[in-house]
Amino acid sequence: MQKALTIFIGFIHDFAAGCWAATVLAVYWLERSAGDAPQLGESLGKLQQEFFFIGLACIVVVFAAGAGRTFTYAHIGSVYGEDSEKLRRRMLIIKHVLLLIVFGAGTLWQYSIAFF
């Protein structure tokens, strides 16, 4: 049961991250469309704002599932061996720092498009 929960939480974590990326692309595409159809600017602007808030909800899910993932992995133990686990954890820290920067920059960019 614990392994199934770990897999499920990991799926939710990754899925929400992908959904966030989709909201960033949606805001960008709507911005491009607004340039092609100025008469739709107000409507598209509202859609951009909705996608921005959906993106924020996705980030909350990513963080919550990531926290849950941390606790479920702790119960599984060393899957790859002790030395490999140390390297995997170090690489995960690096990955998460980089992704935190990407999430922050992407959300800031998305906000600047949707609200200005």
Side-chain angles (χ1 to χ4, degrees):
M1 182 67 175
Q2 187 69 35
K3 287 183 181 182
L5 181 62
T6 301
I7 291 168
F8 179 71
I9 290 173
F11 171 79
I12 296 298
H13 179 74
D14 295 342
F15 185 74
C19 287
W20 171 82
T23 67
V24 173
L25 287 173
V27 168
Y28 169 73
W29 286 329
L30 288 169
E31 182 68 16
R32 286 190 58 191
S33 296
D36 295 338
Q39 69 276 14
L40 296 176
E42 185 178 333
S43 295
L44 293 179
K46 288 180 182 182
L47 268 175
Q48 287 175 323
Q49 291 173 1
E50 288 181 29
F51 275 112
F52 170 77
F53 288 117
I54 291 169
L56 288 181
C58 290
I59 289 173
V60 169
V61 172
V62 167
F63 286 165
R69 198 177 203 186
T70 299
F71 294 116
T72 57
Y73 266 104
H75 293 291
I76 288 179
S78 179
V79 177
Y80 302 106
E82 198 61 38
D83 291 336
S84 295
E85 274 302 307
K86 289 178 185 176
L87 177 61
R88 184 184 76 81
R89 288 182 182 173
R90 193 173 322 131
M91 296 301 289
L92 276 172
I93 290 168
I94 293 168
K95 177 189 90 166
H96 283 95
V97 167
L98 291 173
L99 286 176
L100 191 60
I101 292 168
V102 169
F103 267 75
T107 301
L108 183 63
W109 182 63
Q110 192 180 31
Y111 176 80
S112 70
I113 291 173
F115 291 96
F116 295 105

